[in-house]
Amino acid sequence: MNERTGVITFQGNPLTLLGEELKVGAKAPAFSVVDNGLAPKTLADFSGKVLIISAVPSLDTPVCDMETRRFNNEAAKLGADIKILTLSMDLPFAQARWCGAAGVEAVQTLSDYMSSSFGEAYGVLIKELRLLSRAVFVVDKAGVVQYVQYVNEITEEPDYDSALEAARKLV
């Protein structure tokens, strides 16, 4: 597995990402994760939609909480052609509890805890922590990556406006 250093930090300390760096124009890699009810979900389950895929370390941390709430608020304005997914290594039960407590219904949370297939395929699995690094990907209806942001310092929020604008241009 490819290891990438010098890409991200956590509170200024460098970490190692596993997997290939995704680039705009690449075919979105397949992945296999589970939803809050432990049902398997794959990239193919969302075909025909523009996807904003938000990878976060853990919903139970302040920045991930803020980010997912922000995307949940934005989702209502985007229309039916755009789906926002938030992926983390949190257990599905913890994701469901967090969504209920936060009132998050427009964003679908998915867990990569079983096989880390998303983390490895999208190059966001943190070797030292076995968590996902903060990143945002926008995938068009044909399954092509149209926007990528690997957030350099994982305690910082992503560029919401650029990701949302990239998604809106695809519908």
Side-chain angles (χ1 to χ4, degrees):
M1 166 131 350
N2 186 31
E3 292 189 5
R4 298 174 6 251
T5 57
V7 180
I8 64 158
T9 57
F10 176 60
Q11 296 177 336
N13 299 307
L15 294 170
T16 307
L17 289 178
L18 299 177
E20 298 295 324
E21 178 182 357
L22 269 190
K23 304 264 193 211
V24 170
K27 185 84 175 141
F31 58 80
S32 180
V33 295
V34 293
D35 69 12
N36 291 174
L38 294 176
K41 290 289 180 185
T42 66
L43 180 64
D45 290 323
F46 304 100
S47 65
K49 298 278 186 193
V50 171
L51 296 177
I52 297 174
I53 303 174
S54 169
V56 299
S58 175
L59 291 170
D60 283 319
T61 60
V63 178
C64 300
D65 178 286
M66 245 184 328
E67 178 176 337
T68 306
R69 286 174 191 261
R70 168 78 187 268
F71 275 131
N72 187 63
N73 292 338
E74 297 289 346
K77 306 172 202 166
L78 295 175
D81 287 337
I82 300 176
K83 180 86 177 148
I84 302 178
L85 308 176
T86 294
L87 284 98
S88 72
M89 292 297 246
D90 295 312
L91 293 176
F93 317 109
Q95 290 182 340
R97 177 192 46 74
W98 181 88
C99 286
V104 168
E105 297 173 351
V107 167
Q108 182 167 3
T109 55
L110 300 169
S111 176
D112 199 21
Y113 87 99
M114 287 180 76
S115 65
S116 66
S117 81
F118 173 83
E120 292 174 19
Y122 285 69
V124 294
L125 184 62
I126 302 170
K127 179 181 179 180
E128 295 85 351
L129 303 174
R130 194 164 161 70
L131 295 173
L132 301 183
S133 182
R134 188 173 319 283
V136 179
F137 307 94
V138 175
V139 178
D140 68 18
K141 291 179 182 183
V144 176
V145 177
Q146 298 294 342
Y147 175 88
V148 175
Q149 182 192 13
Y150 290 97
V151 179
N152 302 69
E153 169 55 54
I154 62 173
T155 60
E156 294 177 2
E157 293 177 80
D159 181 350
Y160 301 107
D161 293 337
S162 293
L164 291 162
E165 181 180 332
R168 283 188 193 103
K169 286 180 178 175
L170 299 172
V171 289

